[in-house]
Amino acid sequence: MLAPAAAGFGSYAAVGDSFTEGVGDPGPGEAFVGWADRLAGLLAGRRAEGGPPGAFRYANLAVRGRLLDRIIDEQVPRAVTLAPDLVTFCAGGNDILRPGSDPDALAERFEGAVADLRAVVGTVLVCTGFDTRGVPVLGLLRGKIATYNAHIRAVADRYGCPVLDLWSLRSIHDRRAWSEDRLHLSSAGHARVALRAAQVLGIETPSDPDLPWPPEPLRLPAQVRKDNLHWAREYLVPWIGRRLRGESSGDDVLPKRPELLPLEPARLESCR
């Protein structure tokens, strides 16, 4: 489902975890940018060019590592209070990664949050999970992710929500769309997702987010093995350790933009 053309959006609040916080897309200082910030900049530009008078306002409530229940308890009520014109709600991925998680039960809680948001927000954009086909370790969860995605689409149909379908975005299967940890998108990957989100909202974009990547040099098998070993040592093992200890990378992290503050316009770059 496509949303109406977004020139009329005067405010936007992003709700979610590390994906929406923008981890993997470095910004000034220790902050991250990410697809939601990039989308907000474009929406601010459309507001300035052809929308109603008044500054565009943006809040990003997302925090890395957050599970669905904590997002629902902390971020969703805040978004309801802010009552912006647009909310993006992407949550549940960290739960799916945990052993024993039930995508059916997660979807029930997800739907309750969507109902709360839709009661006060005109447009709530929801996100599917990524297709993890061919991804070490995470590929084993592909069936659970697909089940959760089917629920998200059903919820979107029931509540009239546009869907940012990450499963169908083929360009992010390229390794250049991912940061070195292989768990978070790179800057280029976040840019592709921002372009797709803009398309879903009915905005013309400078290029197709599924545009093929430029050719890259062929990597020898020995280099691939070396890279995989480095990744496992530097990222996979610590990630598993945090899960076993019940720790989160976002335990001491606060939302980077908790208020609806004015935002300067920005452009979405082309994929070329």
Side-chain angles (χ1 to χ4, degrees), residues 120-145:
V120 297
V121 178
T123 302
V124 177
L125 182 148
V126 298
C127 308
T128 71
F130 296 101
D131 184 355
T132 57
R133 175 181 51 189
V135 180
V137 181
L138 299 184
L140 300 174
L141 302 173
R142 192 173 183 235
K144 286 176 66 175
I145 297 170

Side-chain angles (χ1 to χ4, degrees), residues 231-251:
W231 168 73
R233 181 177 62 253
E234 296 296 323
Y235 299 103
L236 179 61
V237 172
W239 178 75
I240 292 174
R242 288 196 301 272
R243 295 299 174 271
L244 294 175
R245 294 190 299 271
E247 298 175 356
S248 168
S249 58
D251 282 344

